Amino acid sequence: MKFYLDTANLPSIRKFNQMGIVDGITTNPSLVSKEEGEFEDLIIAICKEVRGPVSAEVVSTDHDGMVKEAKHLSRLAGNVVVKIPIIPEGLRATKTVSSLGIPVNVTLVFSANQGLLAAKAGASYVSPFIGRLDDIGHRGMEVVEDLVKIFSNYKLKAEVLVGSIRHPQHVVDAAKVGANIATMPPEIMEKLIQHPLTDAGLKRFLDDWNKARKEKPSLTI
Ligand code: E4P
């Protein structure tokens, strides 16, 4: 499964990208609004940092406006993916934009039917938001499971990009049901790396090593 970071924060992107574990980036207007500087400059800088797909979202809600923004965003860098919301005008825009050869990530997907429609309209990525569904008492992962099955049944080439991930178990569950991509905030990626037994184990190794060196000063690496 591919791991994306769900942030527009360049230092965080750099930090995890240097570990070789970042396959792409997703942003949205809320995430971009937390950062300094111009939107376009930020997207260009992120696209230079990460080779994989970088989703940048339109803010128009009509077909022509979305298409205009999509063309503009796609000119910023070769790895820009345009994020479009699943509304009727968004589906029209997805059809137009994807037929121009610009990859589209259809966002704000909360049901399998919405995801299926997005794929039919030509989306390269379909983004179910599982945490927001869990928040209102639904099982977000069910939508992911359904979409993986449906896309496989009909050999649709859209990738299931799981968004609104709130904890590490969401990532494991998304991988178990066969989602293509999990996008997560930097705090969650950090949690995937950490384990208290790793820290305790490392501490014991180093303590033993240092103790042995005191007794045998010739012990070096
Ligand atoms: C995905 O593309 C979205 O940017 C994101 O995952 C939304 O997550 P949230 O529900 O935590 O805002």
Side-chain angles (χ1 to χ4, degrees), residues 27-44:
T27 68
N28 62 42
S30 307
L31 292 172
V32 169
S33 68
K34 291 185 194 163
E35 306 300 325
E36 301 288 329
E38 292 301 314
F39 174 45
E40 283 90 344
D41 294 340
L42 195 53
I43 295 299
I44 291 168

Side-chain angles (χ1 to χ4, degrees), residues 85-88 91 106-121 123 126-129 133 143 147 150-151:
I86 174 85
I87 55 175
L91 283 175
V106 171
T107 190
L108 289 168
V109 167
F110 293 99
S111 73
N113 279 330
Q114 285 182 319
L116 177 55
L117 292 171
K120 283 172 73 75
V126 172
S127 291
F129 278 24
L133 277 168
V143 177
L147 286 174
I150 291 166
F151 290 0

Side-chain angles (χ1 to χ4, degrees), residues 79-151:
N79 50 341
V80 165
V81 170
V82 177
K83 223 171 171 189
I84 295 180
I86 174 85
I87 55 175
E89 287 290 286
L91 283 175
R92 266 185 73 202
T94 297
K95 180 175 184 294
T96 306
V97 172
S98 61
S99 57
L100 293 171
I102 300 170
V104 175
N105 172 0
V106 171
T107 190
L108 289 168
V109 167
F110 293 99
S111 73
N113 279 330
Q114 285 182 319
L116 177 55
L117 292 171
K120 283 172 73 75
S124 299
Y125 306 90
V126 172
S127 291
F129 278 24
I130 59 168
R132 295 192 195 187
L133 277 168
D134 290 357
D135 288 346
I136 60 160
H138 290 247
R139 277 200 57 235
M141 203 54 72
E142 255 170 33
V143 177
V144 175
E145 209 170 347
D146 288 348
L147 286 174
V148 169
K149 177 108 178 66
I150 291 166
F151 290 0

Side-chain angles (χ1 to χ4, degrees), residues 34-209:
K34 291 185 194 163
E35 306 300 325
E36 301 288 329
E38 292 301 314
F39 174 45
E40 283 90 344
D41 294 340
L42 195 53
I43 295 299
I44 291 168
I46 295 172
C47 287
K48 273 192 190 141
E49 182 64 38
V50 174
R51 285 196 179 172
V54 174
S55 287
E57 189 158 341
V58 299
V59 288
S60 296
T61 51
D62 64 295
H63 168 270
D64 293 354
M66 289 192 226
V67 172
K68 192 173 164 204
E69 279 185 60
K71 287 179 179 168
H72 173 66
L73 290 171
S74 76
R75 280 193 286 265
L76 297 178
N79 50 341
V80 165
V81 170
V82 177
K83 223 171 171 189
I84 295 180
I86 174 85
I87 55 175
E89 287 290 286
L91 283 175
R92 266 185 73 202
T94 297
K95 180 175 184 294
T96 306
V97 172
S98 61
S99 57
L100 293 171
I102 300 170
V104 175
N105 172 0
V106 171
T107 190
L108 289 168
V109 167
F110 293 99
S111 73
N113 279 330
Q114 285 182 319
L116 177 55
L117 292 171
K120 283 172 73 75
S124 299
Y125 306 90
V126 172
S127 291
F129 278 24
I130 59 168
R132 295 192 195 187
L133 277 168
D134 290 357
D135 288 346
I136 60 160
H138 290 247
R139 277 200 57 235
M141 203 54 72
E142 255 170 33
V143 177
V144 175
E145 209 170 347
D146 288 348
L147 286 174
V148 169
K149 177 108 178 66
I150 291 166
F151 290 0
S152 156
N153 283 351
Y154 296 102
K155 299 187 173 40
L156 296 168
K157 59 176 176 34
E159 295 191 63
V160 180
L161 196 172
V162 183
S164 192
I165 282 180
R166 299 276 160 81
H167 49 73
Q169 194 57 40
H170 270 154
V171 180
V172 178
D173 291 342
K176 277 159 77 174
V177 300
N180 305 91
I181 306 158
T183 189
M184 65 202 87
E187 311 81 69
I188 304 293
M189 199 170 271
E190 186 75 50
K191 284 186 183 168
L192 299 192
I193 302 168
Q194 288 168 357
H195 197 288
L197 289 179
T198 304
D199 297 338
L202 181 60
K203 184 177 178 316
R204 194 190 303 168
F205 285 155
L206 296 179
D207 287 349
D208 289 347
W209 179 257

